[in-house]
Amino acid sequence: MTVSTLSVVPEATASGTAPTAQPDTSLAAPLWWRRSPHLHEQAIARAARPDYPAWLAHVKPAAACTRPIRLAGTMTTVEAATGRLLAERHTADMPDGVIYKPCGNRRASVCPSCSKLYQNDAYQIVRTGLAGGKGVPEQVAEHPAVFPTFTAPSFGQVHTRVVKRHTCTRRIDCDCRPEPCHARRDLTVCDHGTRLVCFARHDKDAPLLGTPLCRDCYDYDAHAVWNLMSGELWRRTTIAVGRYLHRLARQRGIADVHVTSASTDGTTRTRRRPPVRVEFDKGSEMQRRAAVHFHAIFRLDGPDPDAITPPPSGFDAHDLKAAVDHAARTVTFTTDPHPAKPDGWRIGWGDQVLTKVITTDGRGSGEISMGQVAGYLAKYATKSTDVTGHVSSRLTLDTIDLYADAQGSHTERLVAACWRLGRARWTCPACHQRSTRQPCPTCAARGREALEQVPEASPYRRLQRWAHMLGFGGHFLTKSRRYSITFAVLRSGRVEFRRAQTAGPEQTEAGEQPTTLVVNFLQFVGAGWHTTADALLANTSAQMAREHAETARQYLTTLAA
């Protein structure tokens, strides 16, 4: 029996999951056999049941998931024209009395199978925006596009690994000799008595990488606030890129265009728009020092808001690169006041901003290919805070003490800073009451403030909500509306494909409305497999199916060659 490499033990903290099995101390048995004294008996008992083939086919859609969702209820088929009930089926008549649905979690550390599907979808989204396909015109490959990387500023000196000259063929397997971390002739000592030097040549997996040389000197408050406000900084950056290109068009004598669009009330509106429009796709990566940085794609399109058209002939990729570099250097803003810093924090990008031009082959100096960009962004779509060593769910008053410590490790201090800044209360200058809202609700109720001014929660309150993400509250993959397709389009395409396979030869013709509708009345009853043996059998079956598909693909590739 081939055992899946996925984790077969469901999480016991989820509702309805099986507890973690006690491992067998006997080293003579295989690993899957030693997971529990009774695991092999449970697996044999399930496999010996007469309904085992039906159960295996029933759980096939979620067989590789580590924590599938269990749904119970009824599924009805009704006539589309009249609403007449044609058929009804209960999950009680199915194996285990439930329907298994993949969890759909994008994090590879939570569910490798679902995250792999999410990564493949992310690759298609990024690639179609560069090369076309799936409804995006193929001419988009000729549009100017660049690939910038935006990093966070420095909040203190940290242990690093720098390779000045690479002799390796693949950076992912880089074994080149790095430079000393922080080698100095003068043994600088900070105010806390720590020597700010490090002569070590750190390995790629060294635990010191990303940690401060002196934790007491490190500005954890600014770090947490920067992670929180990085989304606003990105929004301002995209606006600055568009304005730079608009100014450049005016300097070159390229006039604005008038675009007519239909309103919801049936009237038409004519708007004046710049001759170029910038579309983007952004992937977020958490660095070892727990600061987020962004890998992005900027693509230059024409002004048509309803279609993807080429930009004017007077623009090229180097103009777009200049606009991105200018925005990275100049865009900054100051946050709202905070009791810990009345003047607010200055938010801007770091000095290490690298912008490459995207081409078809990526062979030129300072260029990168479309396939490399798509794979690069899709890789980070399934990552979270794992690289920092901190992994947790959303923190509460009951769990914050497990992960926050103002005198602890690097990530513990950062979580503590998020929690402390997020719970700060203001002192109203009028009534001297402390509150988390501005203006003071008491003063607003008494008419001391403008009547239309509603008390708003402090933006720093979000730091507590996202303390488990070290202050970063954005999504790890975002795009502009007209960059390419969406995850929903890809998912609906798979659903339609499976329905067409299930329907068999009797299918409706193209463009014909379906005569029946399937209405589901399902509710959540639990997460995870019923037993560890069920997880083992389901994951093993999924692994064997993947191996069979891979063997078939290699065979077809050999025949084609």
Side-chain angles (χ1 to χ4, degrees):
M1 178 181 290
T2 303
V3 181
S4 171
T5 57
L6 303 178
S7 174
V8 297
V9 180
E11 297 182 7
T13 56
S15 173
T17 57
T20 303
Q22 296 295 330
D24 191 354
T25 56
S26 174
L27 299 180
L31 177 61
W32 71 274
W33 193 278
R34 304 197 312 264
R35 289 185 181 272
S36 172
H38 307 290
L39 175 59
H40 58 284
E41 299 177 2
Q42 296 175 1
I44 294 174
R46 166 67 80 173
R49 292 171 55 176
D51 62 343
Y52 175 68
W55 176 84
L56 205 58
H58 180 63
V59 302
K60 181 180 178 180
C65 183
T66 58
R67 193 180 58 181
I69 306 301
R70 302 199 301 271
L71 303 174
T74 59
M75 295 168 289
T76 59
T77 303
V78 299
E79 191 174 10
T82 62
R84 183 169 58 93
L85 180 64
L86 300 178
E88 185 177 18
R89 188 181 182 186
H90 297 269
T91 58
D93 302 329
M94 301 179 181
D96 292 345
V98 294
I99 291 179
Y100 290 93
K101 185 181 182 302
C103 66
N105 198 299
R106 70 166 185 86
R107 292 175 174 83
S109 59
V110 176
C111 183
S113 174
C114 293
S115 67
K116 187 63 177 178
L117 180 61
Y118 188 94
Q119 182 178 358
N120 294 339
D121 286 353
Y123 178 86
Q124 294 298 329
I125 290 175
V126 177
R127 187 181 180 280
T128 53
L130 294 174
K134 300 184 183 300
V136 180
E138 296 182 355
Q139 291 77 10
V140 75
E142 302 175 0
H143 292 204
V146 295
F147 179 64
T149 298
F150 300 91
T151 60
S154 175
F155 306 105
Q157 301 184 52
V158 297
H159 292 273
T160 59
R161 184 181 187 271
V162 178
V163 178
K164 290 186 177 180
R165 178 179 296 180
H166 284 275
T167 58
C168 57
T169 56
R170 296 182 62 201
R171 293 293 178 88
I172 192 174
D173 300 326
C174 176
D175 57 353
C176 302
R177 189 187 188 201
E179 299 296 321
C181 178
H182 284 82
R184 294 187 179 92
R185 292 183 179 179
D186 55 330
L187 301 182
T188 306
V189 179
C190 69
D191 297 338
H192 306 94
T194 303
R195 296 172 56 186
L196 302 180
V197 294
C198 179
F199 297 96
R201 302 177 187 267
H202 297 298
D203 296 332
K204 292 188 298 183
D205 300 329
L208 282 179
L209 283 179
T211 60
L213 271 66
C214 178
R215 297 173 185 173
D216 295 327
C217 294
Y218 197 83
D219 194 349
Y220 285 98
D221 290 358
H223 187 160
V225 173
W226 194 94
N227 280 348
L228 179 70
M229 298 297 177
S230 58
E232 175 64 17
L233 179 61
W234 167 258
R235 186 187 69 85
R236 294 171 182 249
T237 301
T238 57
I239 295 175
V241 171
R243 289 177 177 174
Y244 180 94
L245 293 173
H246 193 190
R247 291 194 302 268
L248 191 62
R250 290 180 177 177
Q251 294 174 4
R252 296 178 179 178
I254 303 177
D256 294 350
V257 296
H258 296 274
V259 178
T260 302
S261 59
S263 304
T264 56
D265 55 357
T267 61
T268 58
R269 299 177 58 185
T270 301
R271 296 182 178 181
R272 185 177 179 180
R273 294 181 178 272
V276 292
R277 190 180 73 243
V278 178
E279 302 295 337
F280 65 85
D281 190 4
K282 171 180 66 68
S284 308
E285 177 193 3
M286 189 66 70
Q287 295 177 301
R288 293 288 294 267
R289 58 171 175 154
V292 68
H293 70 178
F294 298 142
H295 306 281
I297 296 173
F298 283 94
R299 189 189 68 205
L300 208 56
D301 292 350
D304 192 346
D306 300 324
I308 299 178
T309 57
S313 58
F315 288 91
D316 56 15
H318 296 285
D319 296 329
L320 184 57
K321 181 178 182 298
V324 172
D325 292 340
H326 178 268
R329 292 191 307 266
T330 58
V331 173
T332 58
F333 69 96
T334 303
T335 64
D336 293 338
H338 190 276
K341 196 173 181 63
D343 297 335
W345 286 272
R346 193 71 172 172
I347 305 298
W349 299 112
D351 297 331
Q352 297 178 353
V353 177
L354 177 63
T355 305
K356 294 184 178 181
V357 176
I358 301 176
T359 59
T360 304
D361 52 9
R363 295 180 179 178
S365 176
E367 296 181 353
I368 189 171
S369 67
M370 297 179 180
Q372 290 175 331
V373 171
Y376 201 75
L377 287 184
K379 176 180 67 173
Y380 290 111
T382 61
K383 296 184 180 296
S384 182
T385 59
D386 307 6
V387 68
T388 65
H390 170 85
V391 179
S392 68
S393 57
R394 182 155 290 161
L395 301 179
T396 62
L397 290 174
D398 298 330
T399 60
I400 183 61
D401 292 336
L402 300 176
Y403 300 97
D405 186 359
Q407 302 298 326
S409 63
H410 178 58
T411 54
E412 289 175 345
R413 295 190 182 204
L414 186 57
V415 173
C418 292
W419 199 263
R420 174 173 48 81
L421 295 175
R423 69 180 181 185
R425 303 176 69 87
W426 300 79
T427 302
C428 179
C431 63
H432 304 288
Q433 294 187 9
R434 297 179 62 82
S435 174
T436 59
R437 295 179 176 270
Q438 288 184 308
C440 173
T442 304
C443 294
R446 294 176 180 176
R448 296 181 181 177
E449 300 290 344
L451 295 179
E452 65 274 6
Q453 196 171 11
V454 180
E456 298 180 356
S458 170
Y460 300 103
R461 294 283 293 174
R462 294 174 52 234
L463 279 172
Q464 284 193 339
R465 176 179 175 84
W466 299 107
H468 66 293
M469 294 297 295
L470 308 178
F472 177 66
H475 199 280
F476 275 74
L477 186 68
T478 57
K479 70 177 188 66
S480 58
R481 180 172 300 178
R482 298 178 183 87
Y483 173 78
S484 67
I485 57 177
T486 62
F487 283 103
V489 171
L490 295 175
R491 293 183 185 123
S492 61
R494 284 195 295 268
V495 171
E496 293 176 0
F497 176 78
R498 287 194 293 266
R499 287 178 178 173
Q501 284 187 322
T502 306
E506 298 181 359
Q507 300 179 10
T508 57
E509 298 181 358
E512 182 181 354
Q513 294 294 331
T515 58
T516 60
L517 296 175
V518 178
V519 182
N520 298 327
F521 299 93
L522 302 173
Q523 62 180 355
F524 173 83
V525 295
W529 300 97
H530 281 293
T531 64
T532 307
D534 288 354
L536 172 67
L537 294 173
N539 285 185
T540 301
S541 175
Q543 175 68 11
M544 295 174 66
R546 288 194 297 269
E547 292 175 355
H548 176 76
E550 180 64 20
T551 303
R553 187 189 65 81
Q554 294 178 359
Y555 176 74
L556 294 176
T557 303
T558 304
L559 292 180

